[in-house]
Every structure is written in C-alpha cells, then in structure tokens.
C-alpha cells in the first residue's frame, strides 16, 4: 500500500470540498454528494489507520502516523466549519447535516485518540525528514 499517495489524495479531497464550500454551491446539486464524499473520507481514514496499526514493520510508519494525524486535523477543521455555520453547507442552514457531521466528528476524535495511542506505543517521535544526519552531511561535503 502506498500510504503517501493515499493520504495525499484524501488531503486533496478535503481541500476540494472546503474550497467548494466557500462558494455558493447549489444544495440540490452538491449537498448529497458532499455528504457522501465526507463519509468516504472518514471511512478511508479509519481504514488507513487500521492498516498502519497492523503494519508494524513499515520503515516510515511513524511518519505515516504523523501524516495521518495531520489529515485527521484537516478533516476535523472542515467538519467543524460545517457544524459552526461558516460555509455554504452548514448546520444552521441545513439541519439535516447535523447528525452525519456530528457522527463524523465523533469518529475522527476517537480515531485521533487511537492514533495517538498507536504513535506512543510505536516509539512516538517522528524525526524531521528535513534534517540531515552527520553521516549524510559528511557524505555531502566530502570532496569540497
């Protein structure tokens, strides 16, 4: 499984939905599909988390756990915007979305809690991939 690409695609979907909600989208055309997309994203976040929990030998596991946590954050921000009424499809204007949005929020909060526990048991600290180690620095500077 390519975790990087799958997490990236979910982030793109989250961003696309958020951007659409900033516009004056027609609910007759987009409301039902938006709720379906939100359900899809929520289900796939849980699925990726499940796969990461099982794949304890993955070299980049801690980094992928971190990436998944950031994706949960983005998704929760989107859901909270819909819940608070700051986007075109909001709970105040469309009370029918309250229940599914609140369910998704609860699932995300629980998913993040489990993800943090998983990260803690996996060693927790995700090294910053932008840093260069001493061996890498020596190799890069060799011959200068």
């Amino acid at each position: 499984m390519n975790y990087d690409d799958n997490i990236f695609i979910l982030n793109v979907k989250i961003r696309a939905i958020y951007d659409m909600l900033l516009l004056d989208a027609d609910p007759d055309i987009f409301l039902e599909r938006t709720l379906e997309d939100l359900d899809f994203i929520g289900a796939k976040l849980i699925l990726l988390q499940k796969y990461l929990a099982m794949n304890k030998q993955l070299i980049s596991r801690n980094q992928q756990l971190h990436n998944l946590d950031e994706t949960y954050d983005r998704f929760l921000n989107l859901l909270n915007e819909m819940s608070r009424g700051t986007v075109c499809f909001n709970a105040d204007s469309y009370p029918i979305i309250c229940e599914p949005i609140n369910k998704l929020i609860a699932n995300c909060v629980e998913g993040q809690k489990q993800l943090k526990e998983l990260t803690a048991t996996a060693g927790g600290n995700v090294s910053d991939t932008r840093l260069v180690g001493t061996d890498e620095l020596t190799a890069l500077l060799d011959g200068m």
Side-chain angles (χ1 to χ4, degrees):
M1 176 174 290
N2 189 331
Y3 293 101
D4 283 324
D5 288 353
N6 290 323
I7 291 171
F8 176 78
I9 291 166
L10 289 177
N11 277 303
V12 168
K13 286 185 137 328
I14 292 167
R15 178 59 191 243
I17 293 169
Y18 183 78
D19 288 348
M20 189 239 353
L21 293 176
L22 293 176
L23 302 171
D24 190 20
D26 188 323
D28 293 333
I29 299 172
F30 294 106
L31 182 60
E32 183 178 340
R33 178 58 192 213
T34 301
L35 292 175
E36 290 170 0
D37 288 345
L38 294 173
D39 284 338
F40 173 84
I41 292 167
K44 298 317 166 198
L45 286 171
I46 292 168
L47 183 64
L48 285 171
Q49 182 173 335
K50 176 183 161 190
Y51 286 152
L52 279 169
M54 292 185 314
N55 194 351
K56 295 179 180 171
Q57 302 304 316
L58 181 67
I59 293 172
S60 63
R61 185 172 185 236
N62 284 346
Q63 184 63 44
Q64 298 308 328
L65 291 169
H66 175 73
N67 293 342
L68 190 59
D69 188 48
E70 286 183 340
T71 305
Y72 266 117
D73 282 340
R74 284 186 190 96
F75 191 47
L76 275 169
N77 287 339
L78 171 64
L79 296 171
N80 284 325
E81 292 289 327
M82 292 179 76
S83 178
R84 286 193 300 260
T86 58
V87 292
C88 71
F89 298 152
N90 61 66
D92 290 338
S93 299
Y94 302 95
I96 193 167
I97 71 169
C98 286
E99 185 179 335
I101 295 297
N102 288 336
K103 182 180 176 186
L104 286 166
I105 289 172
N107 289 344
C108 283
V109 169
E110 180 60 29
Q112 275 195 306
K113 178 183 167 193
Q114 292 172 4
L115 193 61
K116 291 196 186 325
E117 291 170 3
L118 187 59
T119 302
T121 60
N125 295 333
V126 176
S127 61
D128 190 342
T129 57
R130 297 172 295 176
L131 298 178
V132 177
T134 55
D135 292 338
E136 292 171 303
L137 187 58
T138 303
L140 289 170
L141 297 177
D142 191 31
M144 287 188 97

